[in-house]
Each structure stands twice: as C-alpha cells, then as structure tokens.
C-alpha cells in the first residue's frame, strides 16, 4: 500500500501529483499547482474528467476550446468564500494563466465524455454536527448535482478545537445502497499555517491503523477504512476532498463503536 501521508514536493509549480498508479488504487487523482502571477499550467485530460478548483487566487481559465475568463475570488481559503470551479471532460485540454499567486487543484477520476466544459455554479453551504463536532461544508460537486461522471468533490472547514469526518465513517465496499466504494484524498490546510492537524485512517479489523500529524499543504490518501480529522486548539483546519469509485454516490457507515455520537442528545 502507498504511503498515506504525502508531502508537497516543493513550494511552486506542480507540487502534488497523485495518480491512481502512485496511490495504488483505481479511480482518484489529485494534482496541485502553486503558481506565481504570469505562470501557466496546462494539461490534457485523456480518459479522465477533471474538476479544477481555484483554492486560492485568480487565474484565466480555458478548457475544451472555450475561454472562461478570469476566475477566482478568495485569496486565502480561510476567507471561507466559495471556491470557483471548472468541470473539464475527458478528451480535452485545459489551461490556467495565473493573474495573482494561486493555488489550483486538479481533481480527477475516470470520465465517460459527452459533458461540456462548464463552470460549477450554485455551490451550497452546510453546517454539520454539533458542539466540538461542528464543521462547515462547501459541497462543490456531490451526487445531488449531475455535474460529473464519477467525481465527488467537497471542501470542509473545521474550526480550531473541533473534529470532522467524525464520528469515524467508511465507504470502502461496493454494496449500494448500504455503502459505496469510494477512494478519497484529503488536501489539508491549516490556519495559522505553522499548525498541525491529526487524521487517523483505520479499519475495523485493525489491519490498517495509521494516525498522522498533517501539516499545511499535505495530502492524505484514504484507500479504505475510517478517516476522522481533528483540529487542535488554536488551529483552524481546511481540507478539499476528492472521492470516486464505480458509482457516483456517497453512502457510508459510521464505526459501530462510535455511531452513538450522532444520536446523542
Ligand atoms: O462531514 C464531514 O466532516 C466531511 C466528511 O464527510 C468528508 O467529506 C468525508 O469524509 C467524505 O467521506
């Protein structure tokens, strides 16, 4: 199994390049560019569909021969504004020209083709959990939106001192409607950036049990098992999740030992 904690390789250019081959799985890819004003990123999607997420900064985007103009609004994820996102189908080329310093995520999964390149509009806002389990969600492209063939993308803000992806849950069996098999990546950010967060990835039989200290900019791979996150006092946590599998539906089960938490008064 691949190392689950992936550090950025440098501070500019393409600093993450997680592919199904490097992760040792079948669906999810995650790339991340840090660009300076005037720099460019360009890729061909091949047999994969892509959702470009302007995590931070502004860039001129074009895809599949269409010019989408200047996109991006928030300069820091922790402004908590909604991200600007562009869907790019398989068999297409996309380009990004950075207007400001920018952080551009390239979320990918197998594509079927046939959808147009398009801006993902109407990104919602959800508050989940209670007490120290409260967290805030921007569901960029979840299954209620028919905007992709297999990609599910969401971002989560966990206030300092809180937990998210909690109680622990898993989605690692292809057993719809009880559960779906979804691989997942977490792109973590922390505020202030010198902080750390905690993520545990573990199966119920104990064959996988890793607890990682995550730093600003790290990626965690979740090939299977439960995957809760904790943000220590003083450090707000952000993450961008990419999920994909054979069915574009998110069906999970909470850990039987900890499911009581969601039912507690
Ligand atoms: O609810 C949350 O805290 C976010 C998680 O659900 C996260 O998107 C995930 O684990 C998806 O499986």
């Amino acid at each position: 199994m691949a190392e689950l904690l992936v550090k950025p390789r440098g501070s500019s250019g393409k600093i993450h390049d997680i592919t199904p081959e490097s992760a040792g799985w079948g669906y999810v890819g995650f790339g991340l560019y840090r660009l300076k004003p005037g720099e460019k990123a360009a890729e061909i999607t091949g047999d994969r569909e892509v959702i470009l997420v302007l995590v931070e900064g502004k860039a001129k985007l074009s895809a599949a021969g269409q010019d989408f103009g200047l996109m991006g609004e928030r300069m820091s994820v922790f402004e908590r504004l909604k991200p600007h996102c562009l869907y790019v189908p398989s068999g297409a080329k996309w380009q990004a020209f950075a207007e400001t310093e920018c952080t551009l995520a390239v979320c990918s999964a197998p594509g079927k083709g046939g959808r147009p390149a398009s801006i993902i509009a109407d990104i919602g806002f959800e508050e989940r959990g209670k007490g120290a389990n409260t967290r805030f969600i921007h569901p960029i492209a979840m299954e209620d939106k028919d905007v992709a063939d297999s990609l599910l993308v969401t971002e989560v803000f966990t206030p300092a001192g809180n937990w998210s992806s909690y109680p622990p849950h898993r989605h690692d069996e292809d057993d719809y409607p009880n559960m779906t098999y979804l691989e997942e990546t977490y792109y973590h950010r922390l505020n202030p950036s010198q902080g750390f967060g905690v993520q545990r990835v573990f199966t119920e039989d104990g064959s996988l049990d890793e607890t990682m200290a995550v730093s600003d900019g790290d990626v965690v791979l979740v090939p299977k098992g439960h995957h809760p996150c904790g943000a220590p006092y003083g450090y707000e946590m952000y993450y961008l999740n990419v999920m994909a599998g054979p069915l574009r539906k998110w069906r999970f089960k909470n850990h039987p030992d900890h499911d009581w938490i969601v039912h507690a008064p």
Side-chain angles (χ1 to χ4, degrees):
M1 188 181 295
E3 287 285 328
L4 301 188
L5 179 61
V6 185
K7 297 278 175 188
R9 51 182 197 204
S11 56
S12 65
K14 193 167 189 182
I15 60 171
H16 281 292
D17 190 11
I18 290 154
T19 62
E21 293 71 33
S22 71
W25 58 28
Y27 295 88
V28 168
F30 182 76
L32 191 94
Y33 288 88
R34 296 297 298 260
L35 301 174
K36 296 190 176 58
E39 289 183 340
K40 173 187 158 184
E43 291 187 10
I44 291 166
T45 56
D47 59 358
R48 298 176 68 74
E49 63 179 358
V50 163
I51 292 178
L52 298 173
V53 179
L54 265 164
V55 177
E56 289 167 325
K58 300 180 186 188
K60 287 185 181 140
L61 294 186
S62 61
Q66 225 182 310
D67 181 1
F68 290 91
L70 188 63
M71 291 181 63
E73 184 179 13
R74 66 187 187 196
M75 300 308 290
S76 156
V77 287
F78 295 104
E79 290 166 23
R80 293 207 196 167
L81 295 170
K82 292 179 185 168
H84 288 196
C85 305
L86 183 68
Y87 176 82
V88 189
S90 52
K93 181 177 176 190
W94 62 262
Q95 296 190 93
F97 287 94
E99 181 99 350
T100 65
E101 290 216 341
C102 76
T103 307
L104 177 70
V106 185
C107 314
S108 75
K112 299 189 181 124
R115 292 173 189 273
S118 52
I119 289 172
I120 298 182
D122 304 324
I123 296 169
F125 173 80
E126 283 173 37
E127 180 175 330
R128 285 188 199 150
K130 56 188 180 218
N133 194 199
T134 305
R135 66 271 191 202
F136 305 100
I137 319 285
H138 289 158
I140 294 170
M142 294 302 284
E143 67 187 73
D144 57 320
K145 269 185 172 165
D146 182 19
V147 292
D149 298 328
S150 54
L151 271 172
L152 294 162
V153 179
T154 197
E155 54 179 23
V156 178
F157 297 87
T158 310
N162 283 15
W163 286 80
S164 60
S165 293
Y166 186 86
H169 67 271
R170 67 183 176 97
H171 37 71
D172 53 10
E173 286 176 43
D174 187 11
D175 180 30
Y176 182 76
N178 298 315
M179 196 188 293
T180 45
Y181 170 85
L182 295 169
E183 300 157 357
E184 185 168 16
T185 54
Y186 275 68
Y187 167 61
H188 284 281
R189 299 292 301 273
L190 289 148
N191 181 33
S193 61
Q194 74 272 24
F196 66 90
V198 173
Q199 184 161 25
R200 182 180 179 197
V201 180
F202 67 110
T203 54
E204 284 162 32
D205 65 3
S207 60
L208 172 63
D209 193 347
E210 288 193 28
T211 302
M212 288 157 277
V214 297
S215 298
D216 188 50
D218 288 352
V219 172
V220 170
L221 309 181
V222 182
K224 61 182 175 181
H226 301 273
H227 39 278
C229 294
Y233 175 76
Y235 293 103
E236 179 185 7
M237 178 186 253
Y238 160 95
Y239 49 81
L240 174 66
N241 289 142
V242 184
M243 293 187 279
L247 192 61
R248 189 172 178 267
K249 290 189 186 297
W250 180 44
R251 295 291 183 280
F252 59 86
K253 278 224 178 327
N254 288 332
H255 193 297
D257 289 349
H258 310 298
D259 182 57
W260 65 269
I261 290 165
V262 280
H263 307 292

